[in-house]
Amino acid sequence: MFKVVKNDKRVFIHPLDSDVIEKSAELTSINEMHDRQIVSTALVVESQGNQVALLTCDQNILLQSW
């Protein structure tokens, strides 16, 4: 399964780097650490000039405005 995702040109796997960790510390309105890391990764990748689509049905993420 991971090979399928890895070979999909629409998917980009970004590392959990210091930029993501720093951004996740700012997202105090999201209680769940993993949700903060997901959203912060999307925000960091977007800040680098990339178009980002974050697909979720998690109400904690949907109710936030970035």
Side-chain angles (χ1 to χ4, degrees):
M1 179 66 166
F2 188 69
K3 186 177 181 179
V4 173
V5 171
K6 201 171 172 181
N7 290 330
D8 190 328
K9 303 289 186 214
R10 300 168 296 173
V11 176
F12 172 73
I13 299 174
H14 187 80
L16 182 60
D17 60 13
S18 60
D19 291 336
V20 173
I21 294 169
E22 288 175 23
K23 178 59 84 176
S24 68
E26 298 171 11
L27 300 176
T28 57
S29 61
I30 300 176
N31 296 329
E32 166 55 45
M33 175 188 65
H34 298 101
D35 289 345
R36 286 194 308 269
Q37 291 172 343
I38 291 166
V39 172
S40 63
T41 300
L43 293 172
V44 167
V45 171
E46 185 177 58
S47 75
Q48 296 170 344
N50 298 291
Q51 185 177 15
V52 175
L54 177 58
L55 306 176
T56 184
C57 60
D58 188 321
Q59 292 299 311
N60 194 33
I61 293 173
L62 291 173
L63 296 175
Q64 303 301 319
S65 60
W66 319 113

